Amino acid sequence: MTDIITLYGHLTVDKIIVDFQEQVSLGGIANVWHGIKYLNKNVSVNLVPTNIGEAVVLVDKDSNQRIGRGCLNLSSSKVKHKKSDWHHIAYLNQVTHTNFIKEISQGIISADITKEYPEKAIPLLSHIDYLFISEDDLFMDLKELGNLTKGWVVMHSPKRSICTDGNQELSYEIPKNLMLNGVNVLGAGDYFASAFITQTIKGLELKDAITHAHKNTTEILKNQT
């Protein structure tokens, strides 16, 4: 049976500045879609944009940093959820209409959040099985955030991951051969989510899924550079 993944949330047009050159690309759920299909062409992926926006992103490959400014909610739409094995919501704290999340009764639900107004996601965390957040975007104590989430918080960075459900904690240090230097890391968080989803839906345990997610993210970023 083919696994079905539905991606909700923001679809963005990204103007990316790398070495003073402008590139235009799609971001948000488009990155997650790309990562999933790169890793498993046989998965069925639905795209359900809730918001459409734009972003300007400056990428510094030497320091592995990206800085952006976005207008994420240029337009929004009320949507209905689709029957799926996995539901992922991009930029949970920025989604305008969230009733569809509360109506999902089957399948795993994951989400990520942005740096701006992360507290807006708090009322929805009791519906989220896996919350992805970068270490730079962490806005409260990690274990406290785990207690608010239905399942696990997965905090990731270029050097490590820490996962907690508020009680248990798992950590993973990224080996040096998987650390990226001189690479455009734009979309790394989205690709990490897509890799984690692809591995977990196969039935991998949490720690193994994290290990493979970092390895897969490195592979995707290297191959798109």
Side-chain angles (χ1 to χ4, degrees):
M1 181 181 294
T2 301
D3 292 316
I4 302 173
I5 301 170
T6 299
L7 307 178
Y8 312 85
H10 289 72
L11 182 63
T12 62
V13 177
D14 295 344
K15 296 182 179 181
I16 306 161
I17 311 298
V18 183
D19 296 331
F20 297 97
Q21 299 295 317
E22 179 181 321
Q23 308 167 15
V24 178
S25 181
L26 291 176
I29 58 176
N31 285 337
V32 185
W33 171 85
H34 175 257
I36 291 171
K37 298 303 288 187
Y38 178 94
L39 295 168
N40 188 343
K41 295 181 177 64
N42 296 320
V43 173
S44 176
V45 183
N46 299 313
L47 291 176
V48 183
T50 63
N51 298 73
I52 293 177
E54 296 180 358
V56 176
V57 184
L58 175 64
V59 176
D60 185 340
K61 293 196 294 186
D62 293 332
S63 64
N64 285 347
Q65 291 186 341
R66 67 267 192 211
I67 302 172
R69 181 67 61 85
C71 295
L72 298 180
N73 297 334
L74 294 178
S75 62
S76 63
S77 176
K78 294 181 179 180
V79 302
K80 294 184 177 180
H81 70 281
K82 291 181 176 289
K83 185 177 180 181
S84 306
D85 301 294
W86 196 296
H87 309 262
H88 178 72
I89 304 138
Y91 313 159
L92 178 65
N93 57 312
Q94 299 279 2
V95 173
T96 306
H97 306 288
T98 59
N99 283 343
F100 75 94
I101 300 171
K102 302 170 186 176
E103 295 169 355
I104 296 173
S105 59
Q106 293 183 325
I108 295 170
I109 306 176
S110 63
D112 57 32
I113 62 177
T114 65
K115 187 184 296 287
E116 298 80 11
Y117 309 110
E119 66 279 357
K120 289 185 177 180
I122 289 176
L124 299 168
L125 295 181
S126 60
H127 301 278
I128 306 302
D129 295 291
Y130 296 101
L131 176 69
F132 304 111
I133 185 168
S134 72
E135 190 167 12
D136 290 340
D137 294 345
L138 190 64
F139 64 99
M140 62 188 297
D141 179 78
L142 185 60
K143 283 195 173 183
E144 185 179 346
L145 190 58
N147 279 323
L148 294 174
T149 304
K150 178 182 178 182
W152 291 81
V153 176
V154 181
M155 186 194 74
H156 55 86
S157 78
K159 295 182 178 180
R160 62 174 182 163
S161 282
I162 300 176
C163 311
T164 181
D165 62 357
N167 296 308
Q168 306 174 75
E169 184 174 289
L170 297 173
S171 62
Y172 172 75
E173 298 292 328
I174 300 174
K176 289 185 178 180
N177 65 303
L178 292 183
M179 293 183 182
L180 295 170
N181 294 296
V183 172
N184 180 355
V185 294
L186 184 64
D190 296 321
Y191 292 134
F192 179 86
S194 67
F196 180 91
I197 292 168
T198 305
Q199 297 298 336
T200 305
I201 208 168
K202 290 180 180 178
L204 265 67
E205 297 293 332
L206 179 60
K207 192 164 187 177
D208 291 332
I210 292 293
T211 302
H212 283 278
H214 280 291
K215 181 179 179 181
N216 293 153
T217 301
T218 298
E219 178 186 343
I220 294 170
L221 290 171
K222 281 184 175 180
N223 287 338
Q224 73 170 3
T225 302

